[in-house]
Amino acid sequence: MPNESLYMLGEYKWSDAPDLYQIRYFLAVADQLSFSAAAKQLNIAQPAISRAVRKMEDSLGFHVFKRTTRMVQLTPAGEILQNDFKDIMNSLANSISEARRSFAGEVGEIVIGYTNFAAHGPMSDLIVRFQTHYEQTRVGLRLLGSTEQLSALENGTIDFGFLLTLACDQSTKQLVVSQEKLVLLLAADNPLVRCSGITPDILSSIPLVTGVKKRWSTYRRVVGQLCERAGIQLDFVEEADDLPILLRLVASGIGGLIYDASIGPYLPPDIISIPIIEVVETLDTSLAWSSRSLTPMAQIFLDFCRTEVHATKKK
């Protein structure tokens, strides 16, 4: 036999506590102050409610209603129970609702990798809108290069990756979320900022900075395709691992940076963005995920992104 003291609150045994039906019936009568009205509201026979309330009072050891032939009133003890029982039923309803969302995959955490390019594109808006719809979801973010994201997707350390489309391979599925034209970032005091556009020939005469091969390999493939198609060679004078350092190199006048147009609104005043014209290359970002089956939460995120992206393309 279990220790009975474990099931007691003060001198009251939990085993004698009212069940959910008794609480429900009690609250109906307390709200209506009428057994007949409560029975009508619940669509059950009045004697059933009377028996349930009487049994609850017997187990509690006190009356919750003062009854006369003409009226029903809550006792002071009944008023206390009415307030607390309402809180209990609301808490129970919330718990069941949250459990249902969890079962449906609407509660949990997803981990998303992203590149510098994705950070300035639609990714942020997608995630913000998603979390507005699914407030119980936690989204973890990891800044990773495109090829690093492929490895993370393969070993399961991230659920999705916002990466350059060119990096995607047969191990992943993808949804293209943006296609951005190329621009050249220059220091604001560079004479070329007065140009309305930069052609490949002019681009080949400008000192440039670029990201290191390890984390910017896919980006460099896009730039390489531009050079091959245009028949030019570029003059890279400096490399850096992350975007903030590259932008400081640009602002100091060391060299220009080929980037995608989505960064424009985020540039500091000492850096100017100029379109690169007469080229077909773009920096495309995709939402990528593993070919393995997705968790319910991940599937909901994917479906949400598909709907949002398709809606954007129709505009």
Side-chain angles (χ1 to χ4, degrees):
M1 292 289 291
N3 187 339
E4 190 176 75
S5 64
L6 296 177
Y7 298 89
M8 297 183 67
L9 180 61
E11 297 180 354
Y12 187 75
K13 297 179 182 179
W14 280 113
S15 58
D16 292 334
D19 61 31
L20 291 179
Y21 281 106
Q22 291 171 345
I23 293 175
R24 183 183 176 214
Y25 296 166
F26 161 75
L27 288 175
V29 177
D31 288 340
Q32 300 287 336
L33 292 180
S34 166
F35 280 82
S36 60
K40 185 176 181 180
Q41 175 188 329
L42 298 175
N43 195 28
I44 59 176
Q46 179 177 331
I49 292 185
S50 299
R51 285 194 299 271
V53 171
R54 190 179 304 110
K55 184 176 181 182
M56 184 180 81
E57 289 178 324
D58 289 343
S59 65
L60 290 173
F62 55 81
H63 292 296
V64 294
F65 293 112
K66 181 180 179 181
R67 306 167 180 85
T68 69
T69 56
R70 292 185 298 177
M71 62 185 300
V72 175
Q73 289 181 315
L74 281 163
T75 65
E79 290 178 354
I80 294 174
L81 289 183
Q82 181 188 32
N83 293 328
D84 289 346
F85 281 176
K86 281 184 177 180
D87 290 340
I88 289 171
M89 296 302 281
N90 288 334
S91 178
L92 177 62
N94 290 335
S95 295
I96 292 173
S97 178
E98 185 172 347
R100 283 175 175 165
R101 289 196 298 271
S102 177
F103 179 77
E106 297 177 9
V107 177
E109 180 178 15
I110 53 175
V111 182
I112 299 173
Y114 69 99
T115 63
N116 285 303
F117 303 99
H120 298 110
M123 180 196 77
S124 298
D125 286 340
L126 282 171
I127 292 175
V128 168
R129 291 199 295 271
F130 174 75
Q131 291 197 287
T132 299
H133 281 77
Y134 299 95
E135 297 179 355
Q136 302 297 318
T137 305
R138 297 181 300 275
V139 177
L141 297 173
R142 295 183 59 188
L143 178 60
L144 298 168
S146 293
T147 53
E148 292 175 319
Q149 290 186 47
L150 293 179
S151 298
L153 286 169
E154 181 64 26
N155 60 37
T157 54
I158 64 175
D159 298 295
F160 293 97
F162 283 92
L163 47 79
L164 291 178
T165 302
L166 190 61
C168 295
D169 57 27
Q170 293 181 346
S171 68
T172 60
K173 298 180 179 180
Q174 61 176 312
L175 170 68
V176 177
V177 297
S178 68
Q179 295 176 297
E180 299 290 345
K181 293 182 178 180
L182 296 177
V183 297
L184 179 65
L185 307 183
L186 289 172
D189 59 0
N190 190 305
L192 289 174
V193 299
R194 292 190 292 270
C195 297
S196 59
I198 299 292
T199 63
D201 287 343
I202 296 177
L203 191 63
S204 65
S205 65
I206 301 173
L208 300 172
V209 297
T210 188
V212 297
K213 288 183 179 180
K214 181 178 179 180
R215 296 191 66 185
W216 292 64
S217 59
T218 307
Y219 158 85
R220 291 171 71 131
R221 284 170 60 191
V222 174
V223 174
Q225 290 176 350
L226 182 157
C227 294
E228 183 177 354
R229 191 185 302 272
I232 62 172
Q233 287 188 336
L234 300 180
D235 180 20
F236 293 109
V237 297
E238 190 66 80
E239 295 182 350
D241 188 42
D242 58 26
L243 182 60
I245 295 176
L246 287 169
L247 292 179
R248 294 324 306 157
L249 293 174
V250 172
S252 65
I254 291 177
L257 173 64
I258 299 172
Y259 211 78
D260 76 65
S262 67
I263 197 175
Y266 306 96
L267 289 174
D270 54 357
I271 296 178
I272 302 298
S273 169
I274 308 169
I276 299 176
I277 59 177
E278 300 178 7
V279 299
V280 298
E281 283 73 24
T282 56
L283 277 171
D284 303 346
T285 295
S286 285
L287 173 67
W289 63 97
S290 172
S291 298
R292 298 189 300 271
S293 60
L294 298 173
T295 65
M297 183 75 262
Q299 186 63 56
I300 289 174
F301 178 75
L302 176 58
D303 293 341
F304 178 87
C305 288
R306 280 175 170 157
T307 300
E308 292 289 314
V309 171
H310 291 161
T312 300
K313 289 180 179 179
K314 289 181 179 180
K315 294 181 180 179

